[in-house]
Structures are given as C-alpha cells and as structure tokens.
Amino acid sequence: MKTISIDIETYSNIDLTKSGVYKYIEGDFEILLIAYAYNDEEVKIIDLKNGDKIPQQFKKDLFDENIIKTAFNANFERICLSKYFNKKLSPKMFRCTQVHALYLGLPHGLDKVAKTLRLKEEKIEEGKSLIRFFMKKENVDLINSKEDSKEKLEVIKKYEAFKKYCINDVVVERSIRKFLEKVKIPKIEQKLWELDQEINDRGVLIDKKLLENACICDEKFKEDLMKKLKSITKVDNPKSNNQIKNYLKTMGIEVSSLNKESVENLLKSEELLNHKKYEEIKEVLNLRSRLNKTSTKKYEAMKRCICSDDRIRGLFQFYGANRTGRWAGRLVQVQNLPQNKLENLEEVRSIIINDYGSKLPSRDEYKKYTNKENYYNQNKSIKVNEDISSILSQLIRTTFIPKKNHRFIIADFSAIEARITSYIANERWRLEVFNTHGKIYEASAAKMFKVDINKITKESELRQKGKIAELALGYQGGVGALVTMGAYNMNLCEGDLIEIVKAFRSSNTNIVSLWKKAEKALIKAVKDKTVVNIDKNISFIYEGNILFIKLPSGRRLSYIRPRVDFNSAFNKYIITYEGIDSISKKQTRLTTYGGKLVENIVQSIARDVLGYAMLNLKYRGFNIVMHVHDEIVVEVENNISSVEEVCEIMCEENPYLKDLKLKADGFESRYYKK
C-alpha cells in the first residue's frame, strides 16, 4: 500500500498551545513548509513561503482515499492542510503515529518516543527554539522580503535549519511507525480515532452572552477583592506570594509556601489561632484564596479557543490517558468541570445572562450582586455560603449549549467500573444487585456488616460506610485510600477504617482473589516469557520485551520493559516497568501490583464499553458533541429521539462482554449540566 509520511511547519498570530489548532487556523495563518516522503523514498520539502508550488501528483495523492497519510499527531496536519486547500481531508485517509505510540504505553512527544525506543533517528533538539523563532511575525516576514540586512541573513540561516528540522521530523516519524508496526492496532481503534476526529471537528456551541457576562462579572468581583486586600495589607500586588509573605512577616508569621495545603494548615495552627490579629490574617488568606480561584479561569480558556461560529473544537485527545486508552481533555478540560449544586440553576443562569446584558451595572448596582445579604435576599435560589466566584464556577458547564432548534441528551453509565469489576471477578452477589435494584452502597454495607438491607436508609451511617468502601477499596486500596476519599470528614476514626477494609475484603473474596490472580499472572508471564490466561478472556502476554494485557475486546494494554525482582526484606516480588510518572511527567520505572493491574483492566474495559456505545450512536445517526468519563452528550433536533432511545443504544449487549448487564441514565437539557 502506498503511504505518505507528512510533517508541516506553520505560522499563525494565534497561540496554538492555548487556543488549539481549530482556532489557530482562523488567525493570520499560513503553511511555511511541507515535508513528505512516499514509503521509503527520500524526503522532499516544499517551501511555500518562498513560492514553491505543490506538485500535482502529491496534491492528487493527498486527497486520494486509497493512499494512507501518516503523521505524528495527524490531527494537526489534517486540519491545517484542509484549511490550506479549503477542502476537508477525511480522517479515514490518515493514520496517527502518536496514537500508535500511546497504544503501546509510550510518551506523547515525538522526541520522547524516539528516545524511549532507542532509535538511531532522533528529533533535532534545536527544533523547539526554531519553532519559537518563527512564531514571531517579523521573522516570518523577513524570510522572503527584499531587504538586505544582518537580521535577514540570520533569519535565512535559521530558516534553512528549520527546513532540515521539518525533513528530519518525517524521518523520525517514519522510523517510529515502522518500529511500531510490529504490534498492530485493532481496526476498531482506527474507527474510534476517526469518530474522535469527527467529534473534535464538530465541536460544541458556546453561549457567547453567558461567557462574556460571566467574564465581566468575574473581573469586577476580583477588582473588588484586590481593592479590599490592598486596603488591609497595604501591599502593591496582593497576588504576589512574596509580598503576602512579607505582610505575614510583619505580623510575626513566617511561611515558606502559600499553596492550598500550607494555608489550610496555617489557619488551624496554634500560632495563628492565638494571634491578636487572627481575624485580619484569616480574612486576607480567605480573600486571596477567592482571588486565585482557578475554576473561573475556564471562561478565559473558552474565550481563547472559541471559533468564529461560536463553537469550541478540539476538546478531546484520543488515547490521551495513555495506558487505559481513555480520552483526555484539552483546552477547557471538560473532564474536571465544577458540578452544579445551585438549587435553582435556571434562575441564577438567567441573572448572569440578562442582568449583565445590554449595559454594565454601576458599581453600586453591582454590589447588590456581590454583597451576600442583598444578593441572597433577592435571589432565594442561591445559598448564603456562596459568593459570585463560586456561582460562576458552577455555571461553567451551562456555557455549552446545543445549536438552534436542538437540545442535548445527556446520558451516562451507572456504576460502570463497579459492574465490570464484579463481572470479571465473578462476584455473584454484586452481579445480582446490579441486575436487580442496583443499590450497591446499601447492599455492600448490608453484606459487610451483616444487617438487613431494608434497614439501611440513604442517610444512615452504614450506607456512608458502604459508599466509601465501594469508592476506595475495589482496587486493593486500604486505610490510606479511605482517607484520600475523605473518610475523616465522615467522623470515622482509624479503627473504623480498619474495620471497613477488613469487612469489604471478607465480603468480596472473588475480587480479592482477582487481585492476586492478576499479579501472579503478570509475574509468571514475565519470568517465563509466556502467555497466561485468566477469566473473561483476559490474557497476560510477554512479547518483545513488552508485557501485554489482552482485554476481552482484543485491545492490548502495554507495559514497556517489565521486570520482576524479589524483595527479600518484604518476602515478595516487586513488579516494575518503564512509563511516564504522573507527577514529574518524566520517563522512569514505575511499580505496579495486583490491585493496580485490575484497576487498569477495569478502566480499560469501561473505556471500550464507552467507545462501543459511541460508535453505535454514530451508526444510528446521533451527533456526539461531548463525552466526559462515562457520559455521552448528543445534540439532537427538537421533537426527535428520546433519552430512553439513547440509553437503550448505550446498553446494547457488547459482543465481547457477554452477559454483562449495563445501565445508563439520562436527561434532556438546553444546556450542559451535571
């Protein structure tokens, strides 16, 4: 099959990293260079900036659906080339080498993948500085200008290096692709990537009026906070950590950090509680916390990437969560939006849209919305313990709206991970719960503490214990996992937590057995360089210095260069592999164990279930605009389709997960909400 490897270098006055490629191409955009190579042929370069013409054969092949185009992060090349030719290039014609790398548990960047694979071809390190250099309009304009100057000579020198960099990226991408071809990606993954591209291309509409008024409201609110902080502290910039540290120092308090945890500890400290100016310092720290609230920054992110038709595109990265294959959020990060907890969301939303509509309020008028007593007296729907910043953060979701004469159907899978864990562990009592009343928190508490489920109410302490056990302990978590889930906020002591862990494990012996089975299977597969099968068509396979876990769908999870070492101090085997550390983001050796392996497997199967449901919805004609964790948002015409139809399609039996009963719940809305 004929294949074309492609890499391009571009310019736009819009920041690609903050705005995404769809907004990027709407600016003062141009393609400077196109490097390409057919199969194993020599790489050729087209210098569009200096007037090179695109060869007719290359242009013809670019739009030929029978010729595959490959690139690292192919979305960028596809969207930019579509803009240049003013004709959409179908994702069906592309294969993304980055996706193939992520499928194998490799890093996101081209340079890091090449280094991890220890290829002789490596990305030119000078590339990043060259990209930054040609992000400046004055440098781009000098490339083909008629002036004769030292500056132009410097630009021409760098531009020649830029050409070599572009050519080299094709060489490296092709080398990576040929190396990775030893492990084939399942055909369904290509279909899912194409669907992902379709969803990103479609985008989702933004309520521009709500967005603009929320930003105005937030800006005014923060102006007031700044003025108040300045009047109390007498510092020039209350946002400055150093200046606030100096203010605290004048109060006799020295701190090394002002991060959230440090501030919380300071507020509880004896030193501050006994301070004669405790109330003033507490107010300063609280005001500053409100000033630095990050959730409302999502409005600014929306403004940066909203396209000319008021839709935001490129919100999702396929395989962005790496090993499990789950999608990652980009730009606005819809995966971590604040929840809506306002009792009357509709009324509050209308206040922001309409009261800040035709004209801005005066400062006195504005105060009635920021002064708690006045604001809440007029708007009973808003709880007294909240301020404007909190209100705005809860409205972020509602900024996403369907297009005219359409509505959203929002549906998500119910307890999907708990169902899958029970299914692959064959924990029958749990499966019975999911197949009948579905009250897993109550049922878990009843099983753990040997009480009648009918005696466990929604408000009971036992249900709370059942809930926290379900959320924290399914993947071999212990007391630490319960604490992370907020156990101490439930008035539980350490003795209670130990009791909960023991009760959960004794009630779920098959799940405990699954943790052990997964760990033993991996150790045997690596030590004996063999294949080990466990239940539900899940296999541990050692091939080419990679440990694969084959899922029921046929998709594989990858653990690069696994190693099993015996730790005599703990009298147990330690399992490690090469991967990206979630905190440092650097390639290192990571440790895993039975429960973690089960977590990877369960979350990966949940992702496969979501992907299968999304494809089914697409094939039935539904337009997906968003998907968040286990939730799908479709944009449908008014008076067409129903929540029940969408949920029914989502829960159709999966061909590789026979007898797994799924449940989805949903609702309709004229804006996105949770």
Side-chain angles (χ1 to χ4, degrees):
M1 179 185 288
K2 188 185 282 188
T3 300
I4 311 176
S5 301
I6 302 173
D7 185 72
I8 64 174
E9 301 302 337
T10 62
Y11 166 79
S12 174
N13 62 326
I14 292 173
D15 189 329
L16 175 65
T17 58
K18 293 181 179 178
S19 302
V21 66
Y22 295 90
K23 180 69 173 178
Y24 179 78
I25 62 170
E26 287 190 350
D28 178 16
F29 166 79
E30 58 181 311
I31 296 179
L32 307 175
L33 301 166
I34 302 175
Y36 68 97
Y38 287 90
N39 295 344
D40 294 325
E41 294 177 13
E42 182 184 356
V43 181
K44 296 177 181 178
I45 188 91
I46 305 169
D47 184 354
L48 293 175
K49 187 65 181 175
N50 280 315
D52 283 2
K53 301 297 181 186
I54 294 179
Q56 284 302 310
Q57 187 61 50
F58 173 69
K59 183 177 178 180
K60 180 184 175 184
D61 291 344
L62 201 57
F63 288 93
D64 187 336
E65 294 202 3
N66 295 313
I67 296 176
I68 296 301
K69 274 64 70 174
T70 72
F72 197 91
N73 185 20
N75 172 262
F76 182 77
E77 274 72 17
R78 185 178 68 81
I79 298 304
C80 289
L81 290 167
S82 294
K83 172 70 174 180
Y84 179 82
F85 290 107
N86 196 28
K87 182 179 179 182
K88 185 175 180 179
L89 284 157
S90 168
K92 291 180 180 178
M93 300 188 291
F94 281 79
R95 299 294 181 271
C96 183
T97 311
Q98 184 186 50
V99 168
H100 204 153
L102 293 172
Y103 179 79
L104 285 166
L106 294 166
H108 284 247
L110 183 70
D111 54 340
K112 291 179 180 177
V113 172
K115 286 178 180 176
T116 303
L117 295 177
R118 299 168 186 171
L119 301 177
K120 64 177 182 179
E121 298 86 359
E122 287 195 359
K123 193 175 174 75
I124 296 173
E125 290 187 7
E126 190 188 358
K128 288 182 181 178
S129 64
L130 288 169
I131 289 171
R132 286 194 297 270
F133 184 81
F134 289 108
M135 282 170 61
K136 297 177 181 177
K137 179 68 171 171
E138 61 269 26
N139 294 334
V140 171
D141 288 344
L142 275 174
I143 293 170
N144 59 354
S145 73
K146 293 181 180 179
E147 79 169 65
D148 191 9
S149 65
K150 287 183 179 180
E151 288 79 9
K152 181 175 179 179
L153 288 174
E154 180 65 19
V155 166
I156 295 303
K157 182 181 177 182
K158 286 183 179 291
Y159 194 57
E160 290 304 311
F162 206 29
K163 288 181 185 179
K164 291 177 182 177
Y165 169 74
C166 188
I167 289 168
N168 185 71
D169 269 9
V170 172
V171 172
V172 177
E173 181 275 329
R174 182 170 60 185
S175 179
I176 290 170
R177 173 168 50 84
K178 293 178 87 171
F179 187 95
L180 299 182
E181 280 174 350
K182 300 168 190 173
V183 179
K184 301 296 182 187
I185 290 184
K187 290 181 180 179
I188 192 172
E189 290 304 305
Q190 174 63 22
K191 289 180 180 177
L192 281 171
W193 180 76
E194 291 167 13
L195 174 58
D196 166 81
Q197 297 296 286
E198 179 186 309
I199 293 167
N200 277 316
D201 288 357
R202 178 180 298 120
V204 59
L205 188 64
I206 292 297
D207 189 322
K208 196 82 172 286
K209 193 174 180 184
L210 174 59
L211 173 59
E212 289 172 351
N213 290 348
C215 289
I216 292 166
C217 198
D218 186 50
E219 186 179 344
K220 283 180 166 287
F221 173 65
K222 287 179 178 175
E223 279 178 14
D224 288 348
L225 288 180
M226 283 287 281
K227 284 187 176 181
K228 192 165 186 180
L229 275 165
K230 284 181 179 181
S231 70
I232 298 171
T233 63
K234 311 303 180 191
V235 304
D236 294 328
N237 180 14
K239 278 188 156 185
S240 164
N241 280 344
N242 286 335
Q243 290 188 31
I244 293 298
K245 284 179 184 178
N246 287 335
Y247 156 76
L248 291 172
K249 195 172 182 179
T250 64
M251 295 290 185
I253 295 173
E254 292 199 31
V255 293
S256 58
S257 172
L258 284 170
N259 63 26
K260 185 179 178 182
E261 185 180 356
S262 298
V263 170
E264 286 176 355
N265 290 335
L266 178 59
L267 287 169
K268 295 179 206 169
S269 69
E270 288 293 323
E271 181 185 17
L272 187 57
L273 289 169
N274 296 325
H275 199 286
K276 62 181 180 180
K277 290 199 173 182
Y278 168 74
E279 292 299 333
E280 178 186 316
I281 298 170
K282 178 183 175 184
E283 184 178 14
V284 167
L285 294 174
N286 285 334
L287 287 171
R288 204 165 174 277
S289 174
R290 290 158 71 189
L291 185 66
N292 293 329
K293 196 174 181 70
T294 56
S295 56
T296 48
K297 290 180 181 177
K298 289 187 182 290
Y299 287 116
E300 294 299 330
M302 288 181 189
K303 285 175 72 175
R304 286 193 296 269
C305 56
I306 190 168
C307 294
S308 56
D309 60 356
D310 293 345
R311 294 183 86 88
I312 290 180
R313 297 177 169 85
L315 289 171
F316 309 98
Q317 184 182 0
F318 187 74
Y319 243 93
N322 214 322
R323 191 170 326 284
T324 62
R326 285 182 159 183
W327 279 263
R330 292 294 179 260
L331 303 173
V332 182
Q333 296 289 353
V334 294
Q335 267 78 356
N336 63 355
L337 297 177
Q339 290 193 353
N340 316 115
K341 295 180 181 177
L342 295 170
E343 292 175 9
N344 192 337
L345 187 64
E346 180 69 33
E347 182 184 348
V348 178
R349 191 174 183 273
S350 296
I351 290 168
I352 300 299
I353 291 174
N354 298 318
D355 286 12
Y356 292 85
S358 57
K359 71 178 185 70
L360 297 181
S362 66
R363 184 158 298 281
D364 287 339
E365 288 174 324
Y366 175 72
K367 282 181 179 176
K368 74 180 181 182
Y369 293 102
T370 54
N371 179 280
K372 287 185 179 179
E373 288 187 15
N374 289 337
Y375 188 71
Y376 298 115
N377 286 340
Q378 293 180 35
N379 302 288
K380 302 297 183 184
S381 61
I382 303 170
K383 294 178 182 177
V384 176
N385 63 351
E386 291 174 322
D387 56 34
I388 285 289
S389 184
S390 177
I391 290 163
L392 292 178
S393 71
Q394 293 185 60
L395 291 179
I396 291 169
R397 286 177 187 267
T398 73
T399 313
F400 297 102
I401 58 172
K403 63 185 180 182
K404 189 177 180 181
N405 299 322
H406 285 66
R407 70 197 193 283
F408 283 156
I409 293 179
I410 303 163
D412 72 331
F413 287 108
S414 174
I416 184 70
E417 288 189 31
R419 286 173 188 268
I420 292 170
T421 304
S422 305
Y423 172 78
I424 62 175
N426 200 28
E427 199 69 76
R428 292 189 175 277
W429 73 265
R430 297 171 65 87
L431 291 171
E432 182 63 25
V433 170
F434 288 125
N435 294 340
T436 53
H437 55 77
K439 295 180 180 179
I440 189 61
Y441 298 156
E442 290 86 346
S444 188
K447 183 83 171 174
M448 287 163 60
F449 301 106
K450 299 178 175 54
V451 298
D452 185 345
I453 189 172
N454 296 311
K455 293 182 179 179
I456 302 175
T457 64
K458 197 165 185 179
E459 292 74 30
S460 74
E461 186 178 302
L462 281 179
R463 185 183 184 276
Q464 285 294 92
K465 290 182 177 180
K467 180 177 180 179
I468 199 168
E470 285 296 315
L471 295 175
L473 305 181
Y475 301 130
Q476 208 172 339
V479 169
L482 291 170
V483 172
T484 301
M485 280 289 178
Y488 288 149
N489 296 330
M490 296 167 54
N491 297 319
L492 295 171
C493 65
E494 190 164 343
D496 294 326
L497 304 190
I498 294 170
E499 178 194 20
I500 290 171
V501 172
K502 288 180 178 177
F504 180 85
R505 293 184 179 183
S506 64
S507 302
N508 294 278
T509 53
N510 284 357
I511 290 177
V512 173
S513 176
L514 180 63
W515 302 336
K516 296 174 182 177
K517 197 179 296 183
E519 187 167 315
K520 286 178 181 177
L522 186 145
I523 291 169
K524 181 172 177 57
V526 173
K527 287 180 70 179
D528 298 346
K529 296 180 171 49
T530 187
V531 177
V532 181
N533 299 310
I534 63 172
D535 298 337
K536 298 296 189 289
N537 199 25
I538 296 168
S539 303
F540 290 71
I541 305 163
Y542 185 91
E543 279 179 10
N545 212 9
I546 302 175
L547 186 282
F548 296 103
I549 300 180
K550 185 177 75 65
L551 303 172
S553 64
R555 184 164 70 94
R556 293 182 171 196
L557 310 185
S558 306
Y559 301 79
I560 305 292
R561 302 186 183 98
R563 198 167 69 211
V564 176
D565 299 313
F566 188 75
N567 187 314
S568 55
F570 292 96
N571 194 33
K572 63 178 291 186
Y573 285 105
I574 305 297
I575 305 163
T576 62
Y577 61 95
E578 286 187 13
I580 304 296
D581 183 82
S582 60
I583 298 172
S584 69
K585 304 299 179 186
K586 292 182 179 179
Q587 188 83 0
T588 185
R589 288 207 74 81
L590 304 174
T591 303
T592 192
Y593 54 92
K596 188 66 177 177
L597 293 169
V598 170
E599 180 181 30
N600 288 169
I601 292 166
V602 169
Q603 290 185 349
S604 300
I605 293 174
R607 178 270 191 191
D608 289 346
V609 168
L610 178 73
Y612 185 74
M614 287 166 62
L615 285 172
N616 280 343
L617 286 166
K618 169 190 162 64
Y619 297 149
R620 309 291 176 83
F622 286 94
N623 288 332
I624 300 169
V625 292
M626 295 170 69
H627 52 95
V628 181
H629 303 304
D630 305 311
E631 174 187 77
I632 300 174
V633 183
V634 294
E635 187 177 60
V636 297
E637 286 186 52
N638 291 336
N639 305 316
I640 293 179
S641 305
S642 66
V643 173
E644 291 73 23
E645 183 184 2
V646 170
C647 290
E648 187 178 323
I649 292 169
M650 286 174 65
C651 294
E652 287 178 356
E653 185 174 78
N654 204 296
Y656 41 79
L657 295 168
K658 296 290 185 183
D659 302 322
L660 172 62
K661 302 296 181 186
L662 298 170
K663 185 175 184 292
D665 299 307
F667 59 93
E668 298 180 356
S669 179
R670 63 183 186 86
Y671 46 77
Y672 181 50
K673 60 183 178 180
K674 188 76 173 175

